[in-house]
Amino acid sequence: MVKMLNTINLAELFEYHNLHSEKLLSKATMRYYGTTQKYLLDYVKSTYRRNDFRLKNLHHSFVVGFEKSKNDLSSTNPKILKPSAIPQRPNAD
């Protein structure tokens, strides 16, 4: 049975994604997802003092806070990609 959206948490979403995507995506891409998962759950733990976060509670300030924490990390860790370093797809006009 599919869980209702308001009961799903971040860890379950990552678990679902990883399970259904590992055969479709390259190992390198899956490593990037794993790294993002680690940073996102670390952010939840340090900011909200919880081990997980329900999707229904996600809001703009959560996203902005995570982005800021990631940018703060990238200034001290050159291995973290900055948004400007990610190649963008050209618009199909």
Side-chain angles (χ1 to χ4, degrees):
M1 180 176 200
V2 176
K3 280 185 146 187
M4 297 299 289
L5 182 60
N6 62 356
T7 64
I8 297 173
N9 58 39
L10 284 172
E12 291 172 322
L13 181 63
F14 274 111
E15 182 180 327
Y16 177 87
H17 172 271
N18 295 341
L19 180 68
H20 289 87
S21 300
E22 72 180 339
K23 291 189 168 118
L24 302 172
L25 301 172
S26 72
K27 287 182 181 183
T29 300
M30 289 303 295
R31 274 194 307 273
Y32 281 123
Y33 281 120
T35 300
T36 300
Q37 178 179 353
K38 177 196 176 311
Y39 286 128
L40 190 55
L41 293 175
D42 285 351
Y43 169 73
V44 168
K45 195 169 198 169
S46 67
T47 303
Y48 296 94
R49 292 176 176 51
R50 296 187 231 166
N51 291 325
D52 210 345
F53 202 85
R54 289 197 189 269
L55 295 183
K56 75 174 187 173
N57 295 331
L58 286 178
H59 40 76
H60 184 259
S61 62
F62 177 93
V63 176
V64 170
F66 175 63
E67 181 179 21
K68 182 181 178 333
S69 74
K70 185 188 69 63
N71 288 338
D72 290 348
L73 282 173
S74 67
S75 66
T76 59
N77 185 347
K79 291 184 178 183
I80 297 175
L81 286 178
K82 295 179 179 157
S84 61
I86 301 171
Q88 301 296 312
R89 285 185 168 178
N91 290 335
D93 294 331

